[in-house]
Amino acid sequence: MRGEHATYACGAALGFLGDLIAADPRRGHPVAAFGRAASAVERRLWRDHRGYGTAHAVLCAGGAAAGAALVQRAVRTTAPAPLRDGARIALTAATVWAVLGGTSLGREARAVGGALAAGDLDVARERLPHLCGRDPQALDGPQMARAVVESVAENTSDAVVGALVWGALGGVPGLVAFRAVNTLDAMVGHKSPRHRRFGWASARLDDLAGWPGSRLTAALTVLAGPDRRGALRAWRADGGAHPSPNAGPVEASFAGALGVRLGGTLAYGGRVEHRPVLNDGARPVAVPDIERAVRLSRRVGVLALVTTVAARLAAGAVRRTPSRALRPAAGAVTRRAVGALARGAHDGRGPGA
């Protein structure tokens, strides 16, 4: 039987390829099913109180992770031995495909970009909510282009890199738990009157879960971007200025890599926010920058797959190596101890004499 790390690597690669070939279906997606279940739990639990929101987050995310762990255990213990590796690879591949959203992200970004390029602002406003929660009626063409680039940057971390990081750390349960936490944040983690307190736990949990993926996304953006120095400079200078601890490094590195200016004033459901400008001094976002951002996102996703799979394989190799290296030494120590005991018994002394 192949090692657990090798089967994960095969499954992750197949799942990533599956997302490239077949983007998220418009109906019947597992994440949408989780969202409906979480909404049903919210209707029963909702109170304008952080405690109830914490219970909602733990029940939904914890339940999803526990269910994934049970399925993984069932595959590991009940599948016939000749089929066990294949079953584990198939389960990982299906889960990776379900939790990744890189291809759908690019598809929606290009749809808005195409409408903007054609000068059809009505269609662009109609498609923009598929990417972000901003009020499209309050945005003109350049503002929508900026919103798309910012959404591509942030969702590269949320919909691709972060999931791969937690998959490498926790396998199928890690993948499912991350997507559940991220989905809950999108559903209740915003500062609307209904969710300001109830969604507090989901938002904080998402900040915690997204931390490693966002830093890896920023680092890979520096490596994959057309302007590496600009990406690193903007990340260092402006990454901490964003109100989101995870969106800041990612959006700043994308801004520097693409040579554009992000951030500033935006509107969410009638609420206006004035955010710090990222990569100040650069030019505003133009419509062609949407395609450049999508291509950068794709390169970052591929690098994230390679990095996380390599890290998991390396961790497995390191875990096995010490035990093999210590076996001869342990055998020698055991032989010397047995010899000393035998000599002590022969001359009439016990080991503690």
Side-chain angles (χ1 to χ4, degrees):
M1 184 175 68
R2 294 184 184 180
E4 179 182 352
H5 302 286
T7 56
Y8 174 82
C10 292
L14 288 174
F16 190 92
L17 181 62
D19 181 63
L20 293 180
I21 296 173
D24 296 338
R26 299 188 185 277
R27 294 183 180 180
H29 196 281
V31 175
F34 170 80
R36 290 191 295 270
S39 295
V41 174
E42 179 188 351
R43 286 193 294 271
R44 291 183 175 271
L45 282 183
W46 186 89
R47 302 290 187 281
D48 191 17
H49 191 278
R50 286 184 176 182
Y52 284 90
T54 301
H56 175 258
V58 171
L59 182 61
C60 293
L70 289 175
V71 172
Q72 180 176 262
R73 179 179 176 82
V75 168
R76 183 183 297 139
T77 57
T78 64
L83 303 177
R84 194 165 296 159
D85 286 339
R88 291 163 62 187
I89 290 172
L91 175 63
T92 301
T95 307
V96 169
W97 169 81
V99 303
L100 294 187
T103 299
S104 296
L105 173 64
R107 179 182 64 193
E108 294 299 335
R110 285 173 169 143
V112 179
L116 291 175
D120 195 338
L121 297 186
D122 291 336
V123 172
R125 291 190 177 103
E126 181 182 344
R127 298 302 297 263
L128 187 63
H130 293 243
L131 278 172
C132 61
R134 301 182 193 181
D135 181 6
Q137 302 304 320
L139 304 178
D140 58 18
Q143 290 171 329
M144 281 191 280
R146 191 193 84 196
V148 171
V149 172
E150 290 173 352
S151 182
V152 168
E154 183 175 0
N155 284 290
T156 298
S157 177
D158 288 344
V160 183
V161 181
L164 292 173
V165 167
W166 282 101
L169 291 172
V172 169
L175 289 162
V176 172
F178 177 80
R179 177 53 58 223
V181 168
N182 192 249
T183 303
L184 288 175
D185 178 62
M187 294 174 63
V188 303
H190 39 83
K191 295 181 179 180
S192 65
R194 176 180 174 85
H195 294 125
R196 186 179 300 274
R197 293 184 181 87
F198 185 84
W200 174 86
S202 293
R204 298 292 78 76
L205 189 59
D206 183 68
D207 288 343
L208 181 64
W211 195 95
S214 66
R215 271 64 188 175
L216 179 59
T217 303
L220 295 179
T221 300
V222 173
L223 293 177
D227 186 351
R228 295 180 178 180
R229 291 184 179 179
L232 182 60
R233 182 176 60 251
W235 178 14
R236 287 177 172 176
D238 302 326
H242 197 283
S244 168
N246 296 328
V250 174
E251 291 187 17
S253 61
F254 260 70
L258 298 174
V260 298
R261 184 174 69 246
L262 298 178
T265 302
L266 49 85
Y268 282 99
R271 187 181 74 256
V272 177
E273 292 186 12
H274 300 283
R275 293 183 176 177
V277 174
L278 307 177
N279 201 31
D280 196 11
R283 62 176 177 81
V285 175
V287 173
D289 294 317
I290 294 176
E291 179 63 28
R292 297 175 63 222
V294 171
R295 292 180 180 177
L296 176 57
S297 174
R298 178 60 54 82
R299 292 195 297 270
V300 169
V302 172
L303 286 176
L305 174 68
V306 173
T307 301
T308 54
V309 165
R312 174 136 181 162
L313 291 174
V318 168
R319 192 173 301 170
R320 290 191 301 269
T321 300
S323 62
R324 292 176 178 173
L326 288 174
R327 258 181 229 140
V333 170
T334 302
R335 286 192 296 272
R336 286 196 295 270
V338 170
L341 289 172
R343 289 192 298 274
H346 179 71
D347 59 16
R349 292 177 298 165

